[in-house]
Amino acid sequence: MIEQGQGQSSGNAEDARRRQVGGVAFLVGLVGALAFFAFFPGLPHVIDWGAVLVSLAVGAVARWGCLTWAAQRARKKAGEA
């Protein structure tokens, strides 16, 4: 019975960490794409709705990639143990 309680708390901690990492990855992708559109030479230095939507998509892809990479590491680590 004690082992089940510990497993649940570590699962909740893992989920919280995954949400935190996903949020940070999303923000990094979003800000990076907005910075690209704002400062890249040759592009108009205007953030329009297209740039905002593309930045949101880049943030979502960055989050997905980061969570996929973390899940693969967790599976690999579990396989070694």
Side-chain angles (χ1 to χ4, degrees):
M1 190 72 166
I2 292 173
E3 293 174 12
Q4 285 180 337
Q6 289 175 349
Q8 287 177 345
S9 66
S10 69
N12 290 339
E14 182 69 29
D15 289 341
R17 173 126 172 102
R18 190 179 327 222
R19 281 192 304 273
Q20 184 180 22
V21 167
V24 169
F26 178 79
L27 287 176
V28 167
L30 177 78
V31 171
L34 282 174
F36 172 79
F37 283 115
F39 298 112
F40 192 74
L43 291 176
H45 300 298
V46 176
I47 301 296
D48 59 353
W49 283 110
V52 170
L53 293 176
V54 169
S55 297
L56 288 171
V58 169
V61 169
R63 180 183 184 273
W64 171 76
C66 185
L67 291 178
T68 301
W69 175 73
Q72 287 176 351
R73 277 191 63 155
R75 279 194 299 262
K76 187 176 179 181
K77 192 173 185 179
E80 290 176 359

